[in-house]
Amino acid sequence: MINLTIDGIKISVEEGTTILEAARLLGKDIPTLCHDERLKPHGACRLCVVEVEGARSLLASCTTPVQEGMVVHTESKSVIEARKTVLELLISNHPLDCLTCEKAGDCKLQDYCYRYDIKGDKYGGEKIQYEIDDSNEFYICDQNKCILCGKCVRVCNELQCTGAIGFAKRGFYTHIAVPFDRRLYESDCVSCGNCVAACPVGALTVKKKDKYRAWEVKKIRTTCSYCGVGCQMYLLVKDDKVVGVEPCFTEPNKGLMCVKGRFAYNFINHKDRLKKPLIKKNGEFVEAEWDEALDYISKRFKEIKEKYGSDSIAGFASARCTNEDNYMFQKFMRAVIGTNNIDHCARLCHATTVSGLATTFGSGAMTNSIGELEKADCIFIIGSNTTETHPVTATYIKRAKLKGARIIVADPREIELTKGADVFMQLKPGTNVALLNAMMNVIIEEGLQDRKFIEERCENYDELVEVVKEYTPEKAEAITKVKAELIREAARLYAKSEKSSIVYSMGITQHSSGVEHVYSVANLAMLCGKIGKEGCGVNPLRGQNNVQGACDMGCLPDVFPGYQKVYIKENVEKFEKAWGVKLSDKVGLTVPEVFKATQDGKVKALYIMGENPMVSDPDIKHVEEALKSLDFLVVQDIFLTDTAKLADVVLPAASFAEKEGTFTNSERRVQRVRRAIKSVGEAKEDWRIIKELMIRFGYDCNLNTSEDVMKEIATLTPQYSGIDYERIEEKGLQWPVLDKNHNGTPILHRDKFARGKGLFKPSHYKEAAELPDDEYPLILTTGRVLYHYHTMTMTGKNEGLMNIVGEPFVEINPMNASKLGISDGDAVEVISRRGSVKVRAKVTEKIDEDVVFMPFHFKETNTLTNTALDEVTKEPELKVCTVRINRL
């Protein structure tokens, strides 16, 4: 510890602490313009100078470490004069339009000028004059107001790691620019807005749809409702309307956001929001009062249940809704309707993860924390286009690369992360098992496995050795199209690095043998002992904001909350006692099985909360036929989606900005969701709608707040036992949280696996359900793009995002395009065995020959995809089907 005195106050701080940090511990407000706690200080603005007794000159407090006995003065006469001079020089080349500047009231330069009584331009002379760049869809760049603090450049380069902007020219003409002084829309900018959030003045400002000044809005902290990263942010509210978003500087995003979370908030108050219940009468929707709609739903459900039995009704929960919403939904289906026919969209994305990792490790969740990726020595990204699907998670990977980590990428497309990759394996879609087996073959052959870890913590190793023995890199090359030497290089890098982490997503899971793909990932990690350690692990990135939580809450047909199996007597008795009713011990139907059962006449009614299978599920024609064959369909959502249009009753739900509750992100972090505005129209929180239905069935539900619901969750869900709203108010907790004194579990399986010993589950490579032939010679694979989210229910309402990516497209390799006479931008017809669609072609070398790619956000894509299922989990093979393409 170092002892020093600041403004007459003695303080002891750790060695290496800067004067600025020490002063802030005392509550001293030393002014800064260039300082950002996330960045290494570099003392550019010189506004933070302080006087240190014995020093020859004033020192920049942000870069000067404390020393024993140091005596510091933060507001001496010489310090104040120096700060005034800095501010006067800045003002001499700065527009004095504070009355109309968008940043007024939230501008550090304005604040400091007021603090030090700087009233105008003291020096006169020439001022810079630049054209304002408003070419970005979401923010404006006005270089005339730039003070060259460099924060935007450093955030873009060192935190976001996009490198879209930098310093241009020298001296008086120095300014921030994209390469070659082009406009922002011509650059690599991904519109994350992180530079805008860092700017202390009005040089970078948000394009506002609703005008507001800083002092006119209240800030409500909540959790982002887009992907599974779970970014913390503030909703800016004016006149009971969300008018903006700002990042929150805490875990897991530490102040970073992506374009969707930062700018695509306008769906909350969109004019098309559902505001009243709708009942279909004579084929047309008619607005109804809540009592009428709920009475009608309960009447029809009762009739169907009495006539056909409880299992004739099914329910789809939602990965977009809170834990509390999902808990109540599954409770309604089980305790009131009496069926385990409950599922949700995890069936389409990570059902194979839940099953595969539960089998091998004992827990089907991400083993480590997002932030640990930055500490890894080697990161193996397979089947995850991380920069587009989980942009903030990708920043940790990029920062790890800057610190020297080795990057391995395996993907059918040349994604952004391949640019800095040490090894890029462009594999044929559906061949992950062969690739991973070959990597394990190399590791075992070269003696790179962690023998001690295997012997002490794993079982069934001999069978793994036997299976992977036949998957030589040369054999894998024939299957995957990846060069044998690249496979060897990747295997050595992963095995030899001390901290190796695997990151994967739906490129691993969405296959007809998806659970075996997950087994193979787990096998590789266990083989090298990369489990239970910081910077290591198997890290499946969850797609939607609360897909982890919806699974945790038991919105699956075979488990109660906490993954407690419905067919185990003790579990049934536990929930019967808690809920006061008899429960079914029969495993329910999955999403694909429900659709089949509707067509077979076994499922008569379906209750869908916050899902849109008419866009998200494979073979849309098949889904539409299934939904139309129902006797009764209820849809609860925030918009009249394609699925809602087919419903008999539509219920208006509250958005995340209108409700209290929790989301659980990819890293198992349970975080608060807070109400920022009143519900739009007559929309209600999902769990409250369900409670009202329970009451109409005569079920006594005494849960009156979302906090009451969480208390019940904690009593029945072992992983959530120690969670309550008070404990997660400031910072979320990562489950399992065993009791009120337990601080959560950032890393799973530290000392032993959740199942005891890790289980090697070796798998042989299996071909995809559809393979190219003369009629359908191309493989179609699917995925996300940065600018949209899942079914576009929310992002499709944002003009800026739609201007960037407003229609579906198909990526095709130049060789295939040439053979078919297709040029970039041509209209083409893509045809599969299930249907055909017309889209634009994007000719690009990103995609391999004989493979094409389409984003799954648009309904057109899932008109083509295959309903072939993984045998264990019934997850569909959305990543591989075959098509042909005709130029129109």
Side-chain angles (χ1 to χ4, degrees):
M1 301 298 288
I2 303 295
N3 301 296
L4 70 157
T5 303
I6 302 178
D7 292 341
I9 304 172
K10 296 185 182 298
I11 184 174
S12 295
V13 296
E14 291 184 6
E15 187 176 5
T17 304
T18 64
I19 295 174
L20 177 64
E21 291 167 335
R24 286 183 172 179
L25 290 173
L26 291 174
K28 300 286 182 181
D29 180 22
I30 296 177
T32 65
L33 288 170
C34 70
H35 184 69
D36 189 311
E37 292 177 359
R38 301 167 297 174
L39 297 167
K40 185 178 178 181
H42 71 155
C45 71
R46 314 308 291 178
L47 200 60
C48 72
V49 292
V50 294
E51 182 180 346
V52 176
E53 291 184 9
R56 289 182 296 175
S57 60
L58 300 180
L59 302 176
S61 63
C62 70
T63 59
T64 306
V66 296
Q67 294 181 16
E68 185 64 34
M70 184 180 269
V71 178
V72 180
H73 302 282
T74 67
E75 290 283 339
S76 66
K77 183 177 179 182
S78 60
V79 166
I80 291 172
E81 287 303 315
R83 290 178 186 164
K84 282 186 172 183
T85 300
V86 169
L87 291 169
E88 286 166 347
L89 287 167
L90 288 173
I91 288 297
S92 71
N93 196 21
H94 194 85
L96 300 179
D97 59 349
C98 297
L99 289 175
T100 56
C101 179
E102 285 288 350
K103 197 74 172 182
D106 191 28
C107 173
K108 279 197 167 188
L109 183 60
Q110 184 186 51
D111 291 343
Y112 293 147
C113 284
Y114 176 80
R115 175 171 167 179
Y116 291 107
D117 202 27
I118 308 299
K119 294 180 178 176
D121 179 4
K122 178 179 179 180
Y123 299 104
E126 185 181 354
K127 293 197 177 196
I128 53 173
Q129 290 187 342
Y130 292 105
E131 182 183 350
I132 294 174
D133 184 353
D134 63 354
S135 63
N136 184 278
E137 291 286 345
F138 305 103
Y139 67 90
I140 295 167
C141 177
D142 183 355
Q143 282 296 300
N144 301 299
K145 295 180 180 179
C146 179
I147 58 172
L148 297 175
C149 68
K151 283 177 71 175
C152 60
V153 174
R154 298 191 68 202
V155 165
C156 185
N157 285 270
E158 298 172 35
L159 296 181
Q160 174 65 22
C161 301
T162 296
I165 55 177
F167 288 97
K169 298 191 177 180
R170 292 290 181 268
F172 180 75
Y173 298 102
T174 303
H175 62 283
I176 311 299
V178 304
F180 308 107
D181 265 327
R182 294 174 300 178
R183 292 168 71 79
L184 278 164
Y185 85 94
E186 300 174 286
S187 73
D188 290 335
C189 175
V190 291
S191 301
C192 62
N194 293 323
C195 59
V196 182
C199 183
V201 292
L204 295 169
T205 54
V206 176
K207 288 182 176 179
K208 297 176 180 176
K209 300 293 183 185
D210 300 279
K211 297 280 283 185
Y212 64 87
R213 308 305 290 264
W215 57 86
E216 295 177 317
V217 296
K218 62 178 180 178
K219 297 182 180 182
I220 309 297
R221 181 177 162 185
T222 191
T223 302
C224 182
S225 65
Y226 283 108
C227 78
V229 176
C231 291
Q232 294 299 286
M233 64 186 195
Y234 294 100
L235 296 179
L236 308 183
V237 177
K238 179 185 177 184
D239 300 330
D240 207 39
K241 182 179 181 181
V242 176
V243 296
V245 168
E246 288 181 0
C248 180
F249 289 77
T250 187
E251 302 286 353
N253 52 311
K254 296 180 181 176
L256 298 182
M257 295 193 74
C258 80
V259 60
K260 297 184 291 293
R262 185 75 158 89
F263 299 115
Y265 57 84
N266 65 304
F267 72 90
I268 297 168
N269 293 103
H270 197 275
K271 62 181 178 60
D272 293 340
R273 279 285 303 277
L274 289 168
K275 299 178 179 67
K276 285 184 73 72
L278 303 173
I279 298 176
K280 192 170 282 181
K281 297 179 180 179
N282 300 318
E284 298 291 331
F285 281 121
V286 177
E287 287 189 352
E289 298 304 317
W290 270 105
D291 283 341
E292 180 189 358
L294 294 173
D295 288 345
Y296 180 51
I297 292 169
S298 60
K299 173 176 174 289
R300 292 291 288 123
F301 276 166
K302 286 176 184 176
E303 290 172 350
I304 292 167
K305 178 180 175 179
E306 288 168 10
K307 186 173 182 179
Y308 299 106
S310 296
D311 289 335
S312 66
I313 302 173
F316 294 165
S318 175
R320 294 186 297 176
C321 292
T322 65
N323 288 319
E324 293 76 4
D325 296 332
N326 281 294
Y327 175 83
M328 288 289 279
F329 188 89
Q330 62 85 35
K331 183 177 180 179
F332 171 74
M333 294 302 298
R334 290 187 163 114
V336 178
I337 299 297
T339 182
N340 287 317
N341 289 343
I342 176 168
D343 206 359
H344 72 291
C345 72
R347 187 64 49 194
L348 307 177
C349 59
H350 274 289
T352 50
T353 286
V354 174
S355 177
L357 294 187
T359 300
T360 52
F361 296 165
S363 172
M366 184 170 173
T367 64
N368 289 58
S369 303
I370 293 169
E372 288 176 45
L373 289 169
E374 193 172 350
K375 301 174 182 178
D377 302 320
C378 175
I379 305 173
F380 180 17
I381 304 111
I382 179 167
S384 168
N385 185 5
T386 322
T387 56
E388 300 206 46
T389 59
H390 302 86
V392 173
T393 297
T395 67
Y396 286 95
I397 296 173
K398 290 179 175 181
R399 291 199 294 275
K401 175 66 179 176
L402 289 178
K403 293 177 180 179
R406 312 300 291 276
I407 306 296
I408 305 166
V409 178
D411 201 277
R413 299 168 70 222
E414 195 174 314
I415 60 175
E416 185 187 341
L417 287 175
T418 63
K419 293 176 185 176
D422 296 273
V423 180
F424 171 41
M425 299 180 285
Q426 192 163 11
L427 78 168
K428 178 182 173 183
T431 62
N432 298 303
V433 172
L435 178 75
L436 293 165
N437 279 351
M439 288 178 66
M440 289 185 277
N441 175 291
V442 172
I443 290 165
I444 293 170
E445 282 292 310
E446 298 186 6
L448 301 176
Q449 69 272 47
D450 188 333
R451 296 182 188 277
K452 186 172 185 289
F453 185 90
I454 294 165
E455 289 170 8
E456 294 178 357
R457 298 193 52 186
C458 303
E459 57 189 0
N460 205 33
Y461 174 63
D462 290 341
E463 186 182 343
L464 177 78
V465 174
E466 194 61 32
V467 169
V468 303
K469 187 189 299 180
E470 66 180 81
Y471 289 88
T472 63
E474 285 71 25
K475 178 176 179 177
E477 179 177 343
I479 297 169
T480 66
K481 294 188 176 181
V482 176
K483 295 292 184 185
E485 197 46 49
L486 284 179
I487 296 174
R488 288 191 175 91
E489 188 179 348
R492 291 165 187 155
L493 264 183
Y494 178 80
K496 289 180 179 180
S497 298
E498 182 184 348
K499 294 182 178 180
S500 292
S501 177
I502 299 176
V503 170
Y504 77 82
S505 194
M506 293 185 288
I508 284 286
T509 61
Q510 290 181 327
H511 298 279
S512 54
S513 56
V515 75
E516 289 157 318
H517 293 232
V518 175
Y519 290 157
S520 299
V521 171
N523 290 340
L524 175 62
M526 288 188 290
L527 180 66
C528 299
K530 308 301 185 187
I531 294 290
K533 302 172 184 175
E534 186 181 54
C536 295
V538 172
N539 301 298
L541 304 181
R542 301 306 178 122
Q544 297 199 49
N545 54 301
N546 200 35
V547 70
Q548 181 65 58
C551 292
D552 296 344
M553 294 302 102
C555 294
L556 299 167
D558 62 333
V559 293
F560 293 117
Y563 307 97
Q564 300 168 85
K565 296 293 185 182
V566 298
Y567 50 78
I568 294 176
K569 182 182 177 183
E570 292 79 9
N571 295 339
V572 176
E573 290 174 348
K574 171 183 175 178
F575 282 91
E576 283 180 342
K577 182 179 179 182
W579 294 343
V581 294
K582 291 292 291 181
L583 297 172
S584 171
D585 62 358
K586 175 186 172 186
V587 173
L589 300 176
T590 63
V591 169
E593 289 171 332
V594 167
F595 288 137
K596 185 178 186 305
T598 63
Q599 292 178 306
D600 293 342
K602 295 177 182 176
V603 169
K604 301 292 185 179
L606 180 59
Y607 185 178
I608 299 177
M609 175 180 77
E611 296 273 343
N612 190 10
M614 277 296 294
V615 177
S616 64
D617 289 44
D619 190 359
I620 295 298
K621 184 180 178 183
H622 154 76
V623 173
E624 185 174 8
E625 289 170 355
L627 293 175
K628 286 182 175 178
S629 68
L630 288 162
D631 288 2
F632 190 58
L633 173 61
V634 178
V635 174
Q636 190 167 301
D637 215 315
I638 60 175
F639 291 105
L640 191 65
T641 63
D642 287 359
T643 303
K645 290 173 183 176
L646 301 177
D648 297 287
V649 182
V650 178
L651 301 177
S655 75
F656 84 111
E658 300 147 46
K659 59 174 67 171
E660 298 284 336
T662 56
F663 292 152
T664 305
N665 75 349
S666 286
E667 62 180 1
R668 299 168 281 106
R669 189 183 296 273
V670 185
Q671 302 184 112
R672 286 283 279 117
V673 176
R674 298 173 180 85
R675 182 183 291 110
I677 59 172
K678 296 174 185 175
S679 292
V680 171
E682 295 181 17
K684 292 178 181 285
E685 290 174 276
D686 293 273
W687 75 267
R688 291 189 184 277
I689 298 171
I690 296 158
K691 175 184 174 177
E692 293 193 30
L693 282 174
M694 286 178 161
I695 292 169
R696 282 167 171 77
F697 273 84
Y699 185 86
D700 184 19
C701 181
N702 59 359
L703 302 174
N704 298 311
T705 66
S706 62
E707 191 167 5
D708 290 342
V709 181
M710 177 50 73
K711 287 176 181 176
E712 183 167 308
I713 291 168
T715 62
L716 295 170
T717 310
Q719 297 91 330
Y720 285 63
S721 293
I723 289 177
D724 60 39
Y725 281 12
E726 185 178 351
R727 293 198 72 202
I728 61 172
E729 183 62 29
E730 291 301 319
K731 191 175 180 180
L733 290 171
Q734 291 169 267
W735 67 252
V737 186
L738 304 179
D739 56 51
K740 292 298 171 65
N741 297 314
H742 191 265
N743 291 322
T745 313
I747 302 174
L748 294 178
H749 320 299
R750 269 195 180 275
D751 302 313
K752 66 176 184 177
F753 285 95
R755 69 178 300 278
K757 283 199 168 187
L759 177 65
F760 284 110
K761 283 285 287 184
S763 303
H764 284 286
Y765 162 67
K766 294 177 183 176
E767 293 181 329
E770 275 189 2
L771 295 174
D773 57 22
D774 291 340
E775 189 176 2
Y776 300 98
L778 303 172
I779 295 175
L780 168 65
T781 191
T782 67
R784 282 187 181 177
V785 296
L786 172 65
Y787 298 97
H788 284 298
Y789 168 74
H790 206 53
T791 62
M792 290 173 55
T793 302
M794 300 188 299
T795 54
K797 302 295 188 291
N798 187 277
E799 183 182 350
L801 297 179
M802 292 300 287
N803 286 342
I804 297 170
V805 183
E807 63 178 13
F809 59 86
V810 59
E811 288 183 355
I812 183 169
N813 182 276
M815 290 294 288
N816 294 116
S818 178
K819 291 174 186 176
L820 295 168
I822 294 170
S823 299
D824 189 57
D826 281 353
V828 299
E829 184 178 28
V830 186
I831 307 160
S832 78
R833 289 177 173 85
R834 288 152 295 279
S836 65
V837 297
K838 295 175 182 178
V839 296
R840 294 282 172 190
K842 280 192 175 183
V843 180
T844 174
E845 292 185 350
K846 285 182 181 178
I847 195 79
D848 210 357
E849 208 173 333
D850 300 328
V851 179
V852 296
F853 167 85
M854 291 180 69
F856 63 53
H857 314 283
F858 300 90
K859 188 174 181 177
E860 286 83 349
T861 301
N862 281 327
T863 300
L864 306 170
T865 47
N866 195 358
T867 53
L869 303 178
D870 173 77
E871 290 181 9
V872 177
T873 65
K874 312 305 178 188
E875 182 166 333
E877 189 155 52
L878 289 162
K879 282 291 177 279
V880 184
C881 73
T882 57
V883 297
R884 67 175 183 268
I885 297 180
N886 298 328
R887 182 178 180 275
L888 294 175

